[in-house]
Each structure stands twice: as structure tokens, then as C-alpha cells.
Amino acid sequence: MPAPDLMIAFFAATMVFAYMPGPALLYTAAQTIARGRRAGWFAALGIHVGGYVHVVAAALGLALLFTAVPVLYLTLKLVGAAYLIWLGVRMAIAARQTAPVSDTVKPGRNPAFWQSVTVEALNPKTAIFYLAFLPQFTDPAASLPIWAQLFVLGVIVNVLFSSADILCVLLADRVAGLVRSSQAGGRLLQRAGGGILVALGVNLALNRH
């Protein structure tokens, strides 16, 4: 692995990126606010699992396709944006038809996990981040080959990012709990969560980077 001083810089930079408010934290907060703490946990887990798609892609060099074939990047970005908007609209519509969300929903019936895996896997900006960030902390003289270093560093990044998602779930649930007790409050939270997802989708679609 890279030298200790390089790893210290790596951990410091990763923590800054992990706890900087961004789309993943907003997405996790939206799921928690709209569907409850259990959905938040499944969303955080889904984002974590989906992150490994990009870790493996970076380690194998597949993420280079996005820089070599811009149309592929644009296509995946628009598909991911459309999926986020669709989830948000569905969540907002469901607020009119359902009672306040409850944390007693069975895991098998909670769609947040697979939705979150899909959202993360379809986000090409995550792939570009790994491609740009990880190679800065590899060491050609290390005992591990570069691809293995990229994989290990990517796993560490994914775990640290997930720690921020977990904290986000706890904070969002605490805030939402003040409103969720009433039926009107529960529906308002679902609409708010749906609005956040729609906003994230629109931002992803219109972002030129």
C-alpha cells in the first residue's frame, strides 16, 4: 500500500468529501424523511452496495469509458436523472393515498434498497469521482499492483461515505419525528422527500459536468 503520509492525506481528503453535503446525503435524507428511519437504513445500504459498481469499474479501468465516450456519460446521466425524478413523483403522489409512514414496514416490502442501488449505479458522476480521486493516492512502488490499490482505496472511500449516510439518517429521522406524528405531517414529509428527489434529478440532468 502507499506510504503512511500519503494514506494520511487520503483519509483526510476522503472525510472532507464524505461529510460535505451532496446528492447522496440529500437522497438519504429524502428517503428517511418521506418513508421513515427503516427506509433510510435501506437507502444508505443500497447506496453503499451501488458504490461498489464504481469501485470495481475504477479498479478495472472501465470508468475511463465515460471520458473516452462522452455520449455514454450523457446517456447514463440522463437515465439516472429520469429515474430520480420518477421516484420523486411517485413518492409525492403516494402521499395523497397513504397513511403516515411507519418504521414497522417489513424489510422485504421496503423498496428503498434496490431503488438506492439503482440510483447510485446509474450516477456516472460517482464513477468520474473515483477515476479522478483514487489514482492520486496509489504508489507504483508498493507491493500491491495498481488495480488492487485502487480497489482497496475505493472500498475505504465507500465505507467512509456510508458513515456519513448513517449519520444523515439519524439526524433526518430526529427532525422528521417532530412532524411525522400527525397524518397531515406524515403526508407533508412524503411530499417534501419526493420534491428533494425531483430536484436532485433535475440538477443531475441540467448539470454540464
Side-chain angles (χ1 to χ4, degrees), residues 134-206:
L134 297 182
Q136 302 179 56
F137 303 98
T138 58
D139 183 1
S143 58
L144 288 177
I146 294 296
W147 71 265
Q149 293 182 53
L150 290 172
F151 180 78
V152 172
L153 292 174
V155 170
I156 294 172
V157 169
N158 205 21
V159 169
L160 292 179
F161 272 53
S162 290
S163 70
D165 292 335
I166 290 171
L167 180 60
C168 181
V169 171
L170 294 173
L171 293 176
D173 182 64
R174 177 64 64 88
V175 173
L178 301 175
V179 184
R180 193 181 291 135
S181 56
S182 68
Q183 185 172 6
R187 289 176 176 172
L188 177 63
L189 289 175
Q190 281 192 275
R191 293 192 186 101
I196 292 173
L197 295 187
V198 170
L200 286 173
V202 172
N203 180 69
L204 179 61
L206 298 181

Side-chain angles (χ1 to χ4, degrees), residues 1-12 137 139:
M1 289 299 290
D5 57 335
L6 195 58
M7 290 300 297
I8 291 174
F10 165 74
F11 277 105
F137 303 98
D139 183 1

Side-chain angles (χ1 to χ4, degrees), residues 5-85:
D5 57 335
L6 195 58
M7 290 300 297
I8 291 174
F10 165 74
F11 277 105
T14 300
M15 292 300 289
V16 170
F17 281 116
Y19 284 85
M20 183 184 300
L25 290 180
L26 288 174
Y27 174 85
T28 305
Q31 288 283 0
T32 305
I33 289 171
R35 292 173 168 170
R37 185 174 61 247
R38 182 182 292 273
W41 294 136
F42 276 98
L45 179 61
I47 291 174
H48 182 77
V49 172
Y52 286 115
V53 173
H54 301 295
V55 171
V56 172
L60 299 180
L62 299 179
L64 288 170
L65 288 174
F66 290 125
T67 56
V69 187
V71 68
L72 178 62
Y73 175 88
L74 179 62
T75 300
L76 192 61
K77 184 178 76 167
L78 292 178
V79 170
Y83 185 66
L84 272 172
I85 294 171

